[in-house]
Amino acid sequence: MATGLAITSEGGNYNGRMTLFVILSCMMAAMGGVIFGYDIGISGGVTSMDSFLKKFFPEVLTKMKEDTKISNYCMFDSQLLTSFTSSLYVAGLVASFFASSVTRAFGRMPSILVGGAAFLAGAALGGAAFNVTMLILGRILLGVGVGFANQAVPLYLSEMAPAKYRGAFNNGFQFSVGIGALSANLINFGTQKIKGGWGWRISLGMAAVPASILTLGAIFLPETPNSLIQRNNDHQKAKLMLQRVRGTNDVQAELDDLIRASSISETIEHPFKKIVQRKYRPQLVMAIAIPFFQQVTGINVIAFYAPILFRTIGLGESASLLSAVMTGIVGTVSTFISMLVVDKFGRRALFTVGGIQMFISQVLIGAIMAAQLGDHGGLDKESAYLVLILICVYVAGFGWSWGPLGWLVPSEIFPLEIRSAGQSITVAVSFLFTFIVAQTFLAMLCHFKAGIFFFFGGWVVVMTVFVYLFLPETKNMPIEQMDKVWREHWFWKRMVGEVSGKSKIEGP
């Protein structure tokens, strides 16, 4: 079915349409983002519920309720509690490397299927947990699911999407993450009110819903033309799939690029060894730097621990969960805006604007908390709501910049021969630093106090300057011709060699 807008890529003169087939396929694949977002949102909510803390982490509840000498900033400081949140990311880190081999050898769709099934098992185990061991084992299974899904889904979206709309399609992954997190926050707000103290079981168990949709949907997902050529070298089958997803019979130019990329890929036996070569240095640097910077924006402070943070500044249990819902709505809306404008304004502009917005809001939050929130008591109502508004401003900045673009850019810059390896490095670095931030944040909050916001604000400055200087613009460039942006960049061309031509990629 070929409905929609006819398109031609500016970079490679590819023909095609925005087809209903590719839209539906990408919507199903993006459910991988929903399970990731749901997990992020659900963990922060249940760890602020008194009934959950009483069953699994009673010492934290005791500090909150009975220890009048404990600092506002230290009441949630428990390594066991942070292990519940962060264990998922250790499992995801390890799983992402196995996922690379599966994605390369068997295709994108089987990796998505494995991810959904593992997440489904983890959701069942978490909802039925009766001790901490069972709880954390469930988290590890969730981590395996997220590791496979995050490795395969962004690649799937970038390879299926027309070049002109690749940014919007891929940002749909982060939009799905936002939908998942918002759903989790709404469910937490509802289940917290259930009498009997078992609402957290519903919160954890409901993760099975998006996981079931992803698992069942993955069975029917078509494989990408890129993967068909890479795995089977079946040019005719790939051509038929390309004609189907582009909605036109005239796909020879794009098919030729895919075949050329595949022929190079076939010569590569060890992509992880290949990716460290000098000619792939720009992609390797971005595969490490972008996910690292994405985590040190401080977003996971908000995503994991928003309800805890809101309780720290003096809001009650219900108000904290409602505030988390508000920030979830802001993040989802801003990511949707990013989907609409990313292919018009480009990646660099959104990175820069979002970075400035995040920095200003973090500095103001830190200043208010440093001036008014001591070790005991809370903020006055006006200041608490001002902090909430500033957090929403911060979340909006992340939502149209580092949130979606942190997944989009790495998924579109790798040549086919190192694509699955590069995406695995991106996911592994993301999970590694997500784990470090999640595991250390509550201790950092206890020791840094309000200075935690200045700490993350400093990183935002560094990363915004980095993007301005070293990231070339990638909008509208066909994914199999992406090497041109590095050959035309003022810094990277000295490593990968210049290319002649009239158009030059914008420098700093």
Side-chain angles (χ1 to χ4, degrees):
M1 185 176 294
T3 61
L5 300 172
I7 61 163
T8 5
S9 164
E10 292 176 12
N13 297 316
Y14 295 165
N15 296 310
R17 297 177 182 273
M18 178 75 81
T19 62
L20 182 61
F21 178 76
V22 76
I23 291 172
L24 292 176
S25 298
C26 289
M27 284 176 63
M28 181 56 67
M31 287 300 294
V34 174
I35 65 173
F36 186 35
Y38 187 90
D39 178 80
I40 290 173
I42 218 71
S43 58
V46 296
T47 51
S48 72
M49 293 183 187
D50 289 353
S51 58
F52 180 82
L53 293 174
K54 183 178 180 180
K55 184 168 183 64
F56 297 107
F57 307 99
E59 76 285 354
V60 176
L61 189 63
T62 300
K63 280 198 294 185
M64 284 175 54
K65 300 291 186 182
E66 299 175 12
D67 192 342
T68 57
K69 295 181 180 179
I70 195 76
S71 168
N72 278 323
Y73 295 100
C74 299
M75 68 176 85
F76 290 96
D77 185 15
S78 163
Q79 288 303 301
L80 189 59
L81 178 61
T82 50
S83 294
F84 163 71
T85 297
S86 59
S87 56
L88 179 147
Y89 299 97
V90 177
L93 189 158
V94 175
S96 66
F97 288 106
F98 288 101
S100 172
S101 299
V102 173
T103 303
R104 181 179 171 89
F106 301 102
R108 284 54 167 150
M109 186 271 286
S111 282
I112 296 173
L113 180 61
V114 171
F119 199 91
L120 185 58
L125 199 58
F130 53 82
N131 58 40
V132 174
T133 302
M134 195 172 173
L135 196 68
I136 292 180
L137 183 59
R139 295 285 293 174
I140 290 172
L141 283 171
L142 294 176
V144 172
V146 170
F148 271 83
N150 282 20
Q151 207 279 340
V153 170
L155 286 186
Y156 186 92
L157 296 174
S158 284
E159 290 180 346
M160 289 291 276
K164 189 174 182 180
Y165 298 106
R166 188 176 59 247
F169 271 81
N170 205 290
N171 279 11
F173 177 75
Q174 182 66 26
F175 180 68
S176 300
V177 172
I179 292 290
L182 177 58
S183 302
N185 289 330
L186 287 167
I187 289 169
N188 281 335
F189 181 66
T191 59
Q192 176 264 329
K193 299 177 181 297
I194 294 176
K195 293 180 180 179
W198 50 270
W200 58 269
R201 290 192 183 277
I202 295 178
S203 293
L204 294 179
M206 284 287 286
V209 175
S212 298
I213 296 172
L214 180 67
T215 305
L216 292 173
I219 297 173
F220 302 101
L221 277 179
E223 193 54 83
T224 69
N226 313 60
S227 181
L228 289 172
I229 291 179
Q230 183 183 37
R231 290 183 299 111
N232 304 321
N233 206 28
D234 188 339
H235 297 178
Q236 185 59 31
K237 189 174 181 180
K239 183 175 182 178
L240 291 174
M241 179 57 69
L242 199 58
Q243 289 172 339
R244 193 176 181 191
V245 298
R246 297 292 178 252
T248 178
N249 291 328
D250 186 10
V251 295
Q252 194 60 45
E254 186 170 2
L255 182 65
D256 289 344
D257 280 343
L258 295 183
I259 293 171
R260 192 177 303 112
S262 179
S263 65
I264 297 173
S265 176
E266 288 173 0
T267 66
I268 309 301
E269 293 184 6
H270 304 290
F272 283 102
K273 290 182 180 179
K274 191 73 174 178
I275 201 172
V276 299
Q277 293 182 358
R278 181 180 175 87
K279 67 177 180 178
Y280 299 121
R281 191 66 47 78
Q283 293 95 329
L284 180 60
V285 169
M286 295 302 163
I288 296 171
I290 289 178
F292 166 73
F293 284 138
Q294 188 186 49
Q295 299 314 311
V296 294
T297 57
I299 188 60
N300 286 330
V301 172
I302 306 300
F304 296 148
Y305 300 113
I308 291 174
L309 191 62
F310 292 135
R311 292 195 76 171
T312 296
I313 64 176
L315 299 178
E317 184 178 358
S318 241
S320 296
L321 292 171
L322 182 59
S323 299
V325 170
M326 291 174 59
T327 58
I329 292 172
V330 170
T332 304
V333 171
S334 59
T335 303
F336 181 72
I337 293 172
S338 179
M339 289 175 63
L340 299 179
V341 302
V342 65
D343 290 310
K344 179 179 181 181
F345 296 112
R347 285 63 161 152
R348 282 163 51 92
L350 292 184
F351 268 131
T352 304
V353 172
I356 294 170
Q357 185 174 336
M358 286 190 291
F359 172 72
I360 293 172
S361 55
Q362 282 177 313
V363 168
L364 291 175
I365 292 167
I368 293 170
M369 292 181 69
Q372 298 197 29
L373 182 65
D375 286 329
H376 305 285
L379 294 177
D380 60 70
K381 185 177 292 187
E382 290 77 15
S383 297
Y385 285 122
L386 179 56
V387 167
L388 176 58
I389 291 170
L390 288 170
I391 286 176
C392 287
V393 172
Y394 164 80
V395 169
F398 181 85
W400 52 55
S401 64
W402 280 91
L405 301 184
W407 293 106
L408 165 61
V409 172
S411 74
E412 66 183 0
I413 61 175
F414 298 110
L416 184 62
E417 66 267 22
I418 58 166
R419 190 169 297 156
S420 61
Q423 184 68 11
S424 286
I425 292 172
T426 299
V427 174
V429 172
S430 178
F431 282 158
L432 173 63
F433 286 98
T434 302
F435 166 74
I436 292 172
V437 170
Q439 191 66 31
T440 60
F441 167 66
L442 293 178
M444 289 172 66
L445 181 63
C446 181
H447 292 92
F448 285 15
K449 301 183 179 179
I452 192 79
F453 291 96
F454 300 115
F455 172 79
F456 287 120
W459 278 112
V460 171
V461 173
V462 173
M463 57 205 266
T464 303
V465 172
F466 173 85
V467 164
Y468 181 74
L469 291 177
F470 299 112
L471 181 68
E473 185 54 68
T474 56
K475 71 172 183 176
N476 296 333
M477 178 62 68
I479 195 169
E480 302 303 350
Q481 297 184 15
M482 195 62 70
D483 63 310
K484 291 180 181 179
V485 303
W486 309 108
R487 296 181 186 279
E488 296 174 355
H489 186 267
W490 71 275
F491 180 80
W492 298 116
K493 67 184 181 184
R494 67 188 71 178
M495 294 186 184
V496 299
E498 280 191 74
V499 64
S500 61
K502 295 180 180 180
S503 63
K504 293 294 177 184
I505 300 301
E506 184 180 332

